[in-house]
Amino acid sequence: MKQAMAGIRVLALSSVTLIALAFVVEYIRTHYLASHIHCYTSIKTLSDDAPYANCFTLGRNGEFRTVYTDPSPAPETLIDGYVLPGLWDGHGHVMQYGEMLHSVDLFQAEGLQDVRLRVRAYLEMNAGTGSREDWLRGIGWDQAAFGGVMPTAVDLEADPVLSGKYIMLDRIDVHCIWVSQAVLDLLPKPMPEYVEGGEIVREPGLGVFCDNAMDIVRAMWPKPSGQTKKKWVGSAMRSLNELGIVGVHDAGVMPGQLKMYEELAGGEEWTVRVYAMLECAARNTFCADDARTVKKADGMLVAQSVKLFADGALGSWGSAMIEPYSDKPNTSGSLLVNATTLTSVAKSWALHGFQVNIHAIGDLANRLSINAMTAALFEVCPSESLASCQSKRRFRIEHSQIIHPNDQIRMLDIGIIPSIQPTHATSDMAYAEDRLGPQRTSAEAYRMKSLLKTNPILGSDFPVEPANPFEGIFAAVARRSPRTGLGAGGSNDGWHMSEALTIEDALRGFTLSPARGAFMEGKAGVIQKGSFADWIVLDRSFDGLLVDELRQLKVRETWVRGKKVFSRQNAA
Ligand SMILES: *[C@@H]1O[C@H](CO)[C@@H](O)[C@H](O)[C@H]1NC(C)=O
Ligand SMILES: *[C@@H]1O[C@H](CO)[C@@H](O)[C@H](O)[C@H]1NC(C)=O
Ligand SMILES: [Zn+2]
């Protein structure tokens, strides 16, 4: 009897516990989750099912939980603002961007004196830099601002404040460096007459080293400490968040750098998702020991692709062309790797399960990249069509700048993804036609609309170009410079407008297409149930913007994994 009573008491107790528990669960469901409802004037989701919404809630793991297409769930919390999915840059360099933020900005410098003044100003703000242990760094010079004449070490030495300082300044395209006399004095003597795939500039004097010749200088450069590099990454991510960027395809991450990324990802300061392309210490090789994939569960760091390099840049006649340059008929540029090696390396990576991403600017480099990719696709799916294999492997050509019409057709047929930087087109339009001539320019150069079917990924190649995605969208849509608003030669018309994208397609290039190019479709670049809770808030609707308004557009807030990572001061 006593035992029975005790049993009933236990039963009664446990039902009280159950009821209490149910109350707690209900309380959490309504209050805790309700407090996580975000409602805005309008949410442009880029989802096919529901292109517009008004509210969403967040799940526990930084994903969108429920997306509501009407404001009824919590009208009292409606925020006056316009939401887009967080933006992705499909090709940038996070570490170099951070380094740039900690160096002298020489972009748009108007002459040698302007460069000297900027370097002096930087020295004043950063006492101690310019020593042998801590070289003063800068980026953005262009000899076009010096009357087309390459600068020299003497040009820096002539300034009494800069004299004796260790200085290394990157050209705007990072394919050349300009150093001071103190740095020159460190280099082994005598310097080689000739450098394969590079140049030691000797006219009008020593000081500039291009492409492979840069290695001679870099070998003497005191390597930045791990602490310094971490600072660069943190600064880069804060700056990218300000521009509405929530993810980057980092186009060349060395094995050591990837290890550092793994340590940092998951930390408070890691506020940009990184899809890293592995770059072997020895370029264009299969580095088996480092061929490791990384996939953080929260999607903050993924590495499963490799970066290879077929050629150099157009500005310095370095990109590999099928026919000679129009303004330098005795050269057609040069490949950084021959076709045999490119193909065998691409095959090795593909067989290892990696996505193969090849840097190709010139039409020969693009042709050989397509050949290498085709061979690698045959190798990994021998009994499938190339297109069906490619839809799984998603090989991509970084830059895809000048492509022969026949090869454009091959890219479209197979679905090889072009990874394009619209601001490269508007920066290069000043000289591209000189290099290529009118025929090649109109049939081959800076294609965007022609390649639309292959889901082109858009990006900036920061720090080579400014990282602002709205400038990239503007360049893609207007084919005019986002800086000046003008077309080639100061014209008011866009440059080869037949290749311009619509504003919607350009936005896809910074959201849905990079998601697909990183195997994150349905997770990134879209606001829907289960996708990453990454979004940005604008003061005005993206729909109906005038094209020129893109140049001034500012992000009010940026959210990553459901957390606010940027909020503009004095937001209207
Ligand atoms: C190519 O032509 C330029 C002048 O147009 C000349 O300065 C240069 O030496 C030539 N290079 C070769 C490899 O013939
Ligand atoms: C291609 O380059 C590799 C490595 O530099 C070299 O061993 C090979 O002989 C070259 N092949 C051809 C056909 O030039
Ligand atoms: Zn790049």
Side-chain angles (χ1 to χ4, degrees):
M1 186 66 190
K2 249 187 174 167
Q3 267 177 352
M5 287 288 289
I8 287 164
R9 251 203 324 267
V10 169
L11 259 179
L13 246 182
S14 56
S15 31
V16 166
T17 313
L18 276 177
I19 290 165
L21 206 67
F23 265 112
V24 170
V25 168
E26 183 58 17
Y27 183 87
I28 289 174
R29 206 182 66 78
T30 51
H31 289 76
Y32 178 78
L33 288 178
S35 73
H36 282 70
I37 278 196
H38 297 258
C39 293
Y40 294 95
T41 314
S42 178
I43 300 169
K44 187 173 169 75
T45 65
L46 300 185
S47 149
D48 286 339
D49 300 337
Y52 293 90
N54 282 97
C55 301
F56 46 69
T57 58
L58 306 182
R60 210 158 306 181
N61 302 311
E63 78 281 13
F64 290 114
R65 190 167 183 271
T66 309
V67 179
Y68 300 93
T69 49
D70 68 76
S72 57
E76 71 280 3
T77 64
L78 188 113
I79 293 165
D80 189 13
Y82 297 81
V83 168
L84 289 180
L87 303 175
W88 282 68
D89 189 307
H91 181 123
H93 303 271
V94 172
M95 186 87 82
Q96 289 88 332
Y97 184 66
E99 184 183 8
M100 181 199 74
L101 296 174
H102 292 276
S103 63
V104 189
D105 175 352
L106 300 175
F107 289 94
Q108 315 294 303
E110 280 171 2
L112 283 172
Q113 191 52 23
D114 191 11
V115 168
R116 292 190 197 109
L117 288 176
R118 292 189 195 198
V119 175
R120 286 167 77 150
Y122 184 85
L123 261 176
E124 236 163 71
M125 302 287 291
N126 300 270
T129 50
S131 68
R132 182 162 179 173
E133 296 72 37
D134 183 13
W135 295 10
L136 188 153
R137 301 279 288 116
I139 181 172
W141 63 271
D142 184 344
Q143 73 274 16
F146 316 143
V149 179
M150 280 292 192
T152 66
V154 171
D155 291 330
L156 296 171
E157 197 64 19
D159 185 311
V161 179
L162 308 186
S163 169
K165 295 278 190 289
Y166 292 79
I167 302 173
M168 179 162 82
L169 309 172
D170 293 6
R171 193 182 181 279
I172 187 167
D173 64 358
V174 299
H175 281 268
C176 299
I177 46 181
W178 166 22
V179 299
S180 62
Q181 190 59 43
V183 171
L184 277 188
D185 291 343
L186 287 180
L187 305 181
K189 304 284 166 351
M191 270 191 279
E193 272 303 303
Y194 177 76
V195 179
E196 176 82 42
E199 187 187 2
I200 301 174
V201 175
R202 291 191 160 84
E203 288 299 323
L206 278 175
V208 173
F209 298 75
C210 296
D211 292 309
N212 287 346
M214 298 195 295
D215 295 343
I216 300 169
V217 178
R218 287 182 175 274
M220 308 308 293
W221 178 46
K223 295 289 165 291
S225 66
Q227 211 47 46
T228 300
K229 288 182 178 172
K230 283 175 188 166
K231 182 177 74 183
W232 290 347
V233 170
S235 299
M237 290 191 167
R238 275 193 301 281
S239 165
L240 294 171
N241 287 153
E242 284 180 28
L243 300 169
I245 293 174
V246 302
V248 171
H249 296 186
D250 200 327
V253 176
M254 298 280 181
Q257 191 182 340
L258 185 59
K259 281 212 185 77
M260 191 186 104
Y261 279 9
E262 284 183 271
E263 284 169 35
L264 295 177
E268 281 292 301
E269 292 195 44
W270 189 269
T271 55
V272 173
R273 297 177 190 277
V274 172
Y275 181 75
M277 306 181 201
L278 184 69
E279 181 180 339
C280 297
R283 265 194 176 179
N284 293 322
T285 59
F286 175 63
C287 48
D289 292 346
D290 298 310
R292 200 165 55 82
T293 58
V294 175
K295 205 162 190 171
K296 294 263 181 194
D298 58 8
M300 294 306 289
L301 175 65
V302 175
Q304 61 187 62
S305 65
V306 68
K307 173 94 180 283
L308 305 175
F309 295 82
D311 66 350
L314 179 71
S316 50
W317 298 271
S319 42
M321 303 298 302
I322 299 167
E323 301 286 339
Y325 283 100
S326 300
D327 58 352
K328 222 180 198 188
N330 58 3
T331 176
S332 47
S334 52
L335 290 164
L336 299 178
V337 56
N338 65 35
T340 320
T341 305
L342 186 63
T343 298
S344 78
V345 172
K347 277 186 190 172
S348 300
W349 283 105
L351 286 169
H352 208 70
F354 272 61
Q355 180 190 39
V356 176
N357 304 343
I358 307 180
H359 163 120
I361 307 258
D363 54 9
L364 180 62
N366 275 283
R367 174 168 291 176
L368 298 184
S369 298
I370 298 168
N371 292 354
M373 289 178 176
T374 306
L377 289 171
F378 265 126
E379 193 89 7
V380 291
C381 334
S383 54
E384 257 175 74
S385 76
L386 288 173
S388 131
C389 190
Q390 165 64 10
S391 73
K392 287 180 286 195
R393 307 305 297 260
R394 305 188 190 168
F395 295 166
R396 38 197 276 194
I397 300 184
E398 301 306 313
H399 309 308
S400 291
Q401 264 176 25
I402 306 150
I403 314 172
H404 190 278
N406 295 350
D407 296 320
Q408 292 174 39
I409 293 170
R410 292 166 77 205
M411 283 182 81
L412 290 165
D413 284 349
I414 304 169
I416 291 173
I417 303 170
S419 167
I420 299 169
Q421 297 73 43
T423 43
H424 280 344
T426 53
S427 293
D428 295 359
M429 66 190 175
Y431 59 79
E433 201 131 350
D434 293 342
R435 299 276 186 286
L436 304 172
Q439 162 61 21
R440 265 188 302 198
T441 303
S442 63
E444 299 194 9
Y446 306 92
R447 318 304 278 170
M448 289 184 220
K449 193 175 173 187
S450 296
L451 299 175
L452 196 53
K453 200 169 68 100
T454 59
N455 299 299
I457 295 166
L458 302 184
S460 68
D461 205 5
F462 62 70
V464 178
E465 300 281 352
N468 186 340
F470 294 111
E471 294 188 12
I473 294 173
F474 174 81
V477 173
R479 307 263 302 187
R480 288 183 271 126
S481 161
R483 216 167 275 145
T484 62
L486 300 175
S491 149
N492 287 317
D493 299 326
W495 189 59
H496 293 274
M497 283 301 284
S498 54
E499 286 298 322
L501 297 184
T502 65
I503 202 163
E504 286 290 315
D505 285 332
L507 180 62
R508 293 174 78 89
F510 283 96
T511 50
L512 298 169
S513 300
R516 181 177 178 275
F519 303 90
M520 293 181 191
E521 64 270 31
K523 297 295 280 184
V526 64
I527 294 174
Q528 64 186 31
K529 183 181 174 58
S531 67
F532 298 146
D534 304 342
W535 73 93
I536 63 175
V537 185
L538 304 176
D539 297 325
R540 46 179 307 179
S541 171
F542 186 80
D543 294 340
L545 275 179
L546 298 176
V547 171
D548 279 276
E549 288 171 328
L550 285 164
R551 294 174 57 208
Q552 319 301 341
L553 200 58
K554 294 261 188 304
V555 170
R556 187 204 294 171
E557 286 175 6
T558 303
W559 296 67
V560 175
R561 283 198 83 218
K563 290 199 181 125
K564 184 154 49 175
V565 294
F566 166 69
S567 179
R568 197 178 66 220
Q569 300 295 309
N570 316 316

